[in-house]
mmCIF file of all heavy atoms in Angstrom:
data_model
loop_
_atom_site.group_PDB
_atom_site.id
_atom_site.type_symbol
_atom_site.label_atom_id
_atom_site.label_comp_id
_atom_site.label_asym_id
_atom_site.label_seq_id
_atom_site.Cartn_x
_atom_site.Cartn_y
_atom_site.Cartn_z
ATOM 1 N N ARG A 93 -24.807 -2.186 -13.023
ATOM 2 C CA ARG A 93 -25.528 -3.058 -13.963
ATOM 3 C C ARG A 93 -24.590 -3.916 -14.797
ATOM 4 O O ARG A 93 -25.025 -4.872 -15.432
ATOM 5 C CB ARG A 93 -26.418 -2.207 -14.887
ATOM 6 C CG ARG A 93 -27.573 -1.545 -14.151
ATOM 7 C CD ARG A 93 -28.468 -2.576 -13.492
ATOM 8 N NE ARG A 93 -29.530 -2.002 -12.705
ATOM 9 C CZ ARG A 93 -29.465 -1.758 -11.407
ATOM 10 N NH1 ARG A 93 -28.340 -2.008 -10.730
ATOM 11 N NH2 ARG A 93 -30.484 -1.242 -10.750
ATOM 12 N N TYR A 94 -23.310 -3.586 -14.789
ATOM 13 C CA TYR A 94 -22.357 -4.411 -15.538
ATOM 14 C C TYR A 94 -22.044 -5.702 -14.804
ATOM 15 O O TYR A 94 -21.963 -6.779 -15.406
ATOM 16 C CB TYR A 94 -21.072 -3.619 -15.782
ATOM 17 C CG TYR A 94 -20.017 -4.376 -16.553
ATOM 18 C CD1 TYR A 94 -20.042 -4.396 -17.946
ATOM 19 C CD2 TYR A 94 -19.016 -5.084 -15.892
ATOM 20 C CE1 TYR A 94 -19.079 -5.103 -18.664
ATOM 21 C CE2 TYR A 94 -18.059 -5.790 -16.599
ATOM 22 C CZ TYR A 94 -18.096 -5.805 -17.987
ATOM 23 O OH TYR A 94 -17.148 -6.508 -18.686
ATOM 24 N N LEU A 95 -21.873 -5.629 -13.498
ATOM 25 C CA LEU A 95 -21.556 -6.819 -12.714
ATOM 26 C C LEU A 95 -22.818 -7.633 -12.457
ATOM 27 O O LEU A 95 -23.928 -7.098 -12.368
ATOM 28 C CB LEU A 95 -20.911 -6.415 -11.387
ATOM 29 C CG LEU A 95 -19.587 -5.652 -11.499
ATOM 30 C CD1 LEU A 95 -19.111 -5.223 -10.126
ATOM 31 C CD2 LEU A 95 -18.524 -6.504 -12.179
ATOM 32 N N ASP A 96 -22.655 -8.943 -12.341
ATOM 33 C CA ASP A 96 -23.790 -9.834 -12.125
ATOM 34 C C ASP A 96 -24.372 -9.635 -10.733
ATOM 35 O O ASP A 96 -23.673 -9.266 -9.787
ATOM 36 C CB ASP A 96 -23.363 -11.289 -12.290
ATOM 37 C CG ASP A 96 -22.941 -11.591 -13.730
ATOM 38 O OD1 ASP A 96 -23.414 -10.885 -14.639
ATOM 39 O OD2 ASP A 96 -22.124 -12.512 -13.912
ATOM 40 N N ARG A 97 -25.659 -9.937 -10.608
ATOM 41 C CA ARG A 97 -26.318 -9.801 -9.316
ATOM 42 C C ARG A 97 -25.723 -10.731 -8.269
ATOM 43 O O ARG A 97 -25.631 -10.384 -7.093
ATOM 44 C CB ARG A 97 -27.814 -10.103 -9.451
ATOM 45 C CG ARG A 97 -28.580 -9.097 -10.299
ATOM 46 C CD ARG A 97 -30.047 -9.482 -10.374
ATOM 47 N NE ARG A 97 -30.786 -8.563 -11.220
ATOM 48 C CZ ARG A 97 -31.305 -7.405 -10.803
ATOM 49 N NH1 ARG A 97 -31.153 -7.041 -9.535
ATOM 50 N NH2 ARG A 97 -31.962 -6.623 -11.619
ATOM 51 N N ASP A 98 -25.345 -11.942 -8.694
ATOM 52 C CA ASP A 98 -24.842 -12.931 -7.754
ATOM 53 C C ASP A 98 -23.311 -12.957 -7.686
ATOM 54 O O ASP A 98 -22.732 -13.926 -7.200
ATOM 55 C CB ASP A 98 -25.361 -14.321 -8.130
ATOM 56 C CG ASP A 98 -25.007 -14.701 -9.568
ATOM 57 O OD1 ASP A 98 -24.519 -13.826 -10.303
ATOM 58 O OD2 ASP A 98 -25.234 -15.869 -9.950
ATOM 59 N N ASP A 99 -22.668 -11.903 -8.146
ATOM 60 C CA ASP A 99 -21.209 -11.837 -8.086
ATOM 61 C C ASP A 99 -20.772 -11.778 -6.629
ATOM 62 O O ASP A 99 -21.161 -10.875 -5.878
ATOM 63 C CB ASP A 99 -20.719 -10.589 -8.834
ATOM 64 C CG ASP A 99 -19.222 -10.618 -9.105
ATOM 65 O OD1 ASP A 99 -18.497 -11.141 -8.250
ATOM 66 O OD2 ASP A 99 -18.800 -10.131 -10.167
ATOM 67 N N LEU A 100 -19.938 -12.737 -6.220
ATOM 68 C CA LEU A 100 -19.515 -12.812 -4.830
ATOM 69 C C LEU A 100 -18.532 -11.718 -4.461
ATOM 70 O O LEU A 100 -18.281 -11.472 -3.278
ATOM 71 C CB LEU A 100 -18.882 -14.182 -4.547
ATOM 72 C CG LEU A 100 -19.810 -15.398 -4.728
ATOM 73 C CD1 LEU A 100 -19.037 -16.679 -4.469
ATOM 74 C CD2 LEU A 100 -21.016 -15.292 -3.803
ATOM 75 N N GLY A 101 -17.965 -11.069 -5.450
ATOM 76 C CA GLY A 101 -16.960 -10.043 -5.163
ATOM 77 C C GLY A 101 -17.480 -8.629 -5.208
ATOM 78 O O GLY A 101 -16.687 -7.679 -5.266
ATOM 79 N N LEU A 102 -18.799 -8.434 -5.148
ATOM 80 C CA LEU A 102 -19.359 -7.083 -5.256
ATOM 81 C C LEU A 102 -18.857 -6.171 -4.145
ATOM 82 O O LEU A 102 -18.455 -5.031 -4.394
ATOM 83 C CB LEU A 102 -20.884 -7.158 -5.211
ATOM 84 C CG LEU A 102 -21.604 -7.551 -6.507
ATOM 85 C CD1 LEU A 102 -23.091 -7.732 -6.256
ATOM 86 C CD2 LEU A 102 -21.381 -6.490 -7.575
ATOM 87 N N GLY A 103 -18.885 -6.676 -2.915
ATOM 88 C CA GLY A 103 -18.441 -5.845 -1.804
ATOM 89 C C GLY A 103 -16.979 -5.490 -1.915
ATOM 90 O O GLY A 103 -16.574 -4.339 -1.661
ATOM 91 N N ARG A 104 -16.169 -6.466 -2.290
ATOM 92 C CA ARG A 104 -14.739 -6.210 -2.463
ATOM 93 C C ARG A 104 -14.506 -5.201 -3.585
ATOM 94 O O ARG A 104 -13.676 -4.301 -3.476
ATOM 95 C CB ARG A 104 -14.020 -7.528 -2.740
ATOM 96 C CG ARG A 104 -12.556 -7.398 -3.067
ATOM 97 C CD ARG A 104 -11.885 -8.762 -2.931
ATOM 98 N NE ARG A 104 -12.633 -9.820 -3.576
ATOM 99 C CZ ARG A 104 -12.490 -10.181 -4.858
ATOM 100 N NH1 ARG A 104 -11.613 -9.553 -5.612
ATOM 101 N NH2 ARG A 104 -13.207 -11.157 -5.372
ATOM 102 N N PHE A 105 -15.263 -5.350 -4.663
ATOM 103 C CA PHE A 105 -15.113 -4.427 -5.791
ATOM 104 C C PHE A 105 -15.440 -2.995 -5.381
ATOM 105 O O PHE A 105 -14.659 -2.073 -5.620
ATOM 106 C CB PHE A 105 -16.034 -4.869 -6.933
ATOM 107 C CG PHE A 105 -16.041 -3.931 -8.113
ATOM 108 C CD1 PHE A 105 -15.089 -4.059 -9.101
ATOM 109 C CD2 PHE A 105 -17.001 -2.933 -8.225
ATOM 110 C CE1 PHE A 105 -15.087 -3.198 -10.195
ATOM 111 C CE2 PHE A 105 -17.007 -2.067 -9.309
ATOM 112 C CZ PHE A 105 -16.046 -2.204 -10.294
ATOM 113 N N GLY A 106 -16.599 -2.811 -4.742
ATOM 114 C CA GLY A 106 -16.996 -1.466 -4.345
ATOM 115 C C GLY A 106 -16.029 -0.860 -3.347
ATOM 116 O O GLY A 106 -15.674 0.320 -3.450
ATOM 117 N N GLY A 107 -15.599 -1.660 -2.370
ATOM 118 C CA GLY A 107 -14.684 -1.143 -1.362
ATOM 119 C C GLY A 107 -13.348 -0.735 -1.942
ATOM 120 O O GLY A 107 -12.819 0.341 -1.626
ATOM 121 N N VAL A 108 -12.787 -1.573 -2.801
ATOM 122 C CA VAL A 108 -11.471 -1.261 -3.353
ATOM 123 C C VAL A 108 -11.553 -0.104 -4.343
ATOM 124 O O VAL A 108 -10.646 0.739 -4.418
ATOM 125 C CB VAL A 108 -10.853 -2.515 -4.011
ATOM 126 C CG1 VAL A 108 -9.491 -2.189 -4.608
ATOM 127 C CG2 VAL A 108 -10.699 -3.631 -2.991
ATOM 128 N N MET A 109 -12.651 -0.029 -5.092
ATOM 129 C CA MET A 109 -12.813 1.107 -6.012
ATOM 130 C C MET A 109 -12.835 2.421 -5.257
ATOM 131 O O MET A 109 -12.189 3.406 -5.654
ATOM 132 C CB MET A 109 -14.099 0.933 -6.826
ATOM 133 C CG MET A 109 -13.974 -0.037 -7.994
ATOM 134 S SD MET A 109 -13.024 0.630 -9.393
ATOM 135 C CE MET A 109 -14.252 1.659 -10.187
ATOM 136 N N LEU A 110 -13.570 2.461 -4.143
ATOM 137 C CA LEU A 110 -13.623 3.696 -3.364
ATOM 138 C C LEU A 110 -12.273 3.969 -2.682
ATOM 139 O O LEU A 110 -11.860 5.125 -2.567
ATOM 140 C CB LEU A 110 -14.722 3.608 -2.319
ATOM 141 C CG LEU A 110 -16.142 3.840 -2.860
ATOM 142 C CD1 LEU A 110 -17.162 3.680 -1.760
ATOM 143 C CD2 LEU A 110 -16.261 5.219 -3.479
ATOM 144 N N ALA A 111 -11.620 2.914 -2.234
ATOM 145 C CA ALA A 111 -10.286 3.106 -1.643
ATOM 146 C C ALA A 111 -9.327 3.673 -2.674
ATOM 147 O O ALA A 111 -8.523 4.572 -2.373
ATOM 148 C CB ALA A 111 -9.774 1.780 -1.078
ATOM 149 N N PHE A 112 -9.400 3.153 -3.897
ATOM 150 C CA PHE A 112 -8.537 3.679 -4.956
ATOM 151 C C PHE A 112 -8.871 5.134 -5.256
ATOM 152 O O PHE A 112 -7.972 5.974 -5.407
ATOM 153 C CB PHE A 112 -8.682 2.845 -6.231
ATOM 154 C CG PHE A 112 -7.934 3.423 -7.392
ATOM 155 C CD1 PHE A 112 -6.591 3.150 -7.562
ATOM 156 C CD2 PHE A 112 -8.560 4.256 -8.303
ATOM 157 C CE1 PHE A 112 -5.883 3.699 -8.619
ATOM 158 C CE2 PHE A 112 -7.863 4.814 -9.359
ATOM 159 C CZ PHE A 112 -6.522 4.527 -9.513
ATOM 160 N N ALA A 113 -10.179 5.440 -5.330
ATOM 161 C CA ALA A 113 -10.573 6.824 -5.618
ATOM 162 C C ALA A 113 -10.066 7.772 -4.539
ATOM 163 O O ALA A 113 -9.571 8.864 -4.837
ATOM 164 C CB ALA A 113 -12.095 6.915 -5.740
ATOM 165 N N GLY A 114 -10.179 7.341 -3.265
ATOM 166 C CA GLY A 114 -9.670 8.178 -2.184
ATOM 167 C C GLY A 114 -8.166 8.345 -2.248
ATOM 168 O O GLY A 114 -7.647 9.447 -2.021
ATOM 169 N N ALA A 115 -7.449 7.254 -2.543
ATOM 170 C CA ALA A 115 -5.993 7.347 -2.649
ATOM 171 C C ALA A 115 -5.590 8.253 -3.817
ATOM 172 O O ALA A 115 -4.652 9.056 -3.697
ATOM 173 C CB ALA A 115 -5.394 5.953 -2.830
ATOM 174 N N MET A 116 -6.295 8.147 -4.920
ATOM 175 C CA MET A 116 -5.983 8.990 -6.075
ATOM 176 C C MET A 116 -6.285 10.454 -5.765
ATOM 177 O O MET A 116 -5.543 11.361 -6.172
ATOM 178 C CB MET A 116 -6.796 8.516 -7.271
ATOM 179 C CG MET A 116 -6.334 9.069 -8.602
ATOM 180 S SD MET A 116 -4.725 8.417 -9.085
ATOM 181 C CE MET A 116 -4.223 9.668 -10.266
ATOM 182 N N LEU A 117 -7.357 10.690 -5.025
ATOM 183 C CA LEU A 117 -7.698 12.048 -4.622
ATOM 184 C C LEU A 117 -6.616 12.625 -3.711
ATOM 185 O O LEU A 117 -6.225 13.794 -3.847
ATOM 186 C CB LEU A 117 -9.052 12.034 -3.904
ATOM 187 C CG LEU A 117 -9.820 13.346 -3.806
ATOM 188 C CD1 LEU A 117 -10.111 13.910 -5.197
ATOM 189 C CD2 LEU A 117 -11.105 13.132 -3.046
ATOM 190 N N GLY A 118 -6.114 11.797 -2.793
ATOM 191 C CA GLY A 118 -5.025 12.246 -1.932
ATOM 192 C C GLY A 118 -3.757 12.499 -2.718
ATOM 193 O O GLY A 118 -3.006 13.438 -2.408
ATOM 194 N N LEU A 119 -3.505 11.687 -3.732
ATOM 195 C CA LEU A 119 -2.285 11.838 -4.539
ATOM 196 C C LEU A 119 -2.253 13.188 -5.239
ATOM 197 O O LEU A 119 -1.225 13.879 -5.242
ATOM 198 C CB LEU A 119 -2.202 10.690 -5.535
ATOM 199 C CG LEU A 119 -0.911 10.513 -6.343
ATOM 200 C CD1 LEU A 119 -0.763 9.052 -6.771
ATOM 201 C CD2 LEU A 119 -0.882 11.388 -7.590
ATOM 202 N N VAL A 120 -3.378 13.574 -5.848
ATOM 203 C CA VAL A 120 -3.362 14.798 -6.665
ATOM 204 C C VAL A 120 -3.479 16.053 -5.814
ATOM 205 O O VAL A 120 -3.233 17.155 -6.318
ATOM 206 C CB VAL A 120 -4.492 14.768 -7.719
ATOM 207 C CG1 VAL A 120 -4.305 13.592 -8.647
ATOM 208 C CG2 VAL A 120 -5.871 14.733 -7.078
ATOM 209 N N THR A 121 -3.836 15.917 -4.532
ATOM 210 C CA THR A 121 -3.924 17.103 -3.674
ATOM 211 C C THR A 121 -2.772 17.192 -2.675
ATOM 212 O O THR A 121 -2.643 18.198 -1.981
ATOM 213 C CB THR A 121 -5.255 17.108 -2.896
ATOM 214 O OG1 THR A 121 -5.375 15.901 -2.139
ATOM 215 C CG2 THR A 121 -6.431 17.237 -3.849
ATOM 216 N N ALA A 122 -1.950 16.149 -2.583
ATOM 217 C CA ALA A 122 -0.845 16.155 -1.608
ATOM 218 C C ALA A 122 0.149 17.256 -1.957
ATOM 219 O O ALA A 122 0.552 17.409 -3.116
ATOM 220 C CB ALA A 122 -0.160 14.796 -1.589
ATOM 221 N N ASP A 123 0.561 17.995 -0.935
ATOM 222 C CA ASP A 123 1.553 19.053 -1.122
ATOM 223 C C ASP A 123 2.864 18.719 -0.406
ATOM 224 O O ASP A 123 3.647 19.604 -0.094
ATOM 225 C CB ASP A 123 1.004 20.393 -0.599
ATOM 226 C CG ASP A 123 1.830 21.572 -1.066
ATOM 227 O OD1 ASP A 123 2.405 21.513 -2.169
ATOM 228 O OD2 ASP A 123 1.933 22.561 -0.308
ATOM 229 N N ASP A 124 3.071 17.452 -0.138
ATOM 230 C CA ASP A 124 4.288 16.976 0.492
ATOM 231 C C ASP A 124 4.775 15.759 -0.292
ATOM 232 O O ASP A 124 3.982 14.870 -0.620
ATOM 233 C CB ASP A 124 4.024 16.595 1.947
ATOM 234 C CG ASP A 124 5.281 16.175 2.686
ATOM 235 O OD1 ASP A 124 5.642 14.985 2.601
ATOM 236 O OD2 ASP A 124 5.908 17.019 3.325
ATOM 237 N N LEU A 125 6.054 15.714 -0.602
ATOM 238 C CA LEU A 125 6.582 14.642 -1.434
ATOM 239 C C LEU A 125 6.369 13.274 -0.790
ATOM 240 O O LEU A 125 5.970 12.317 -1.467
ATOM 241 C CB LEU A 125 8.075 14.865 -1.695
ATOM 242 C CG LEU A 125 8.450 16.020 -2.632
ATOM 243 C CD1 LEU A 125 9.963 16.171 -2.689
ATOM 244 C CD2 LEU A 125 7.887 15.792 -4.034
ATOM 245 N N LEU A 126 6.626 13.164 0.513
ATOM 246 C CA LEU A 126 6.481 11.875 1.180
ATOM 247 C C LEU A 126 5.017 11.488 1.294
ATOM 248 O O LEU A 126 4.670 10.305 1.191
ATOM 249 C CB LEU A 126 7.145 11.930 2.555
ATOM 250 C CG LEU A 126 8.654 12.212 2.534
ATOM 251 C CD1 LEU A 126 9.201 12.235 3.948
ATOM 252 C CD2 LEU A 126 9.384 11.178 1.699
ATOM 253 N N LEU A 127 4.148 12.445 1.532
ATOM 254 C CA LEU A 127 2.710 12.144 1.573
ATOM 255 C C LEU A 127 2.217 11.699 0.199
ATOM 256 O O LEU A 127 1.404 10.775 0.093
ATOM 257 C CB LEU A 127 1.954 13.389 2.036
ATOM 258 C CG LEU A 127 0.435 13.241 2.193
ATOM 259 C CD1 LEU A 127 0.095 12.202 3.254
ATOM 260 C CD2 LEU A 127 -0.198 14.587 2.536
ATOM 261 N N LEU A 128 2.711 12.349 -0.847
ATOM 262 C CA LEU A 128 2.353 11.933 -2.198
ATOM 263 C C LEU A 128 2.768 10.491 -2.445
ATOM 264 O O LEU A 128 2.037 9.709 -3.054
ATOM 265 C CB LEU A 128 3.001 12.882 -3.216
ATOM 266 C CG LEU A 128 2.633 12.707 -4.687
ATOM 267 C CD1 LEU A 128 2.675 14.035 -5.415
ATOM 268 C CD2 LEU A 128 3.552 11.716 -5.400
ATOM 269 N N TYR A 129 3.960 10.136 -1.946
ATOM 270 C CA TYR A 129 4.426 8.760 -2.136
ATOM 271 C C TYR A 129 3.524 7.768 -1.413
ATOM 272 O O TYR A 129 3.263 6.670 -1.930
ATOM 273 C CB TYR A 129 5.855 8.622 -1.625
ATOM 274 C CG TYR A 129 6.342 7.192 -1.631
ATOM 275 C CD1 TYR A 129 6.716 6.577 -2.823
ATOM 276 C CD2 TYR A 129 6.412 6.459 -0.453
ATOM 277 C CE1 TYR A 129 7.130 5.256 -2.831
ATOM 278 C CE2 TYR A 129 6.845 5.147 -0.458
ATOM 279 C CZ TYR A 129 7.191 4.549 -1.652
ATOM 280 O OH TYR A 129 7.608 3.236 -1.669
#
Side-chain angles (χ1 to χ4, degrees):
R93 292 301 176 267
Y94 180 85
L95 299 176
D96 295 334
R97 294 180 182 274
D98 56 351
D99 194 325
L100 298 178
L102 280 173
R104 174 164 47 89
F105 176 86
V108 179
M109 280 286 280
L110 281 178
F112 174 84
M116 194 68 200
L117 200 59
L119 189 155
V120 299
T121 56
D123 194 31
D124 184 274
L125 289 175
L126 299 180
L127 182 62
L128 186 149
Y129 173 76

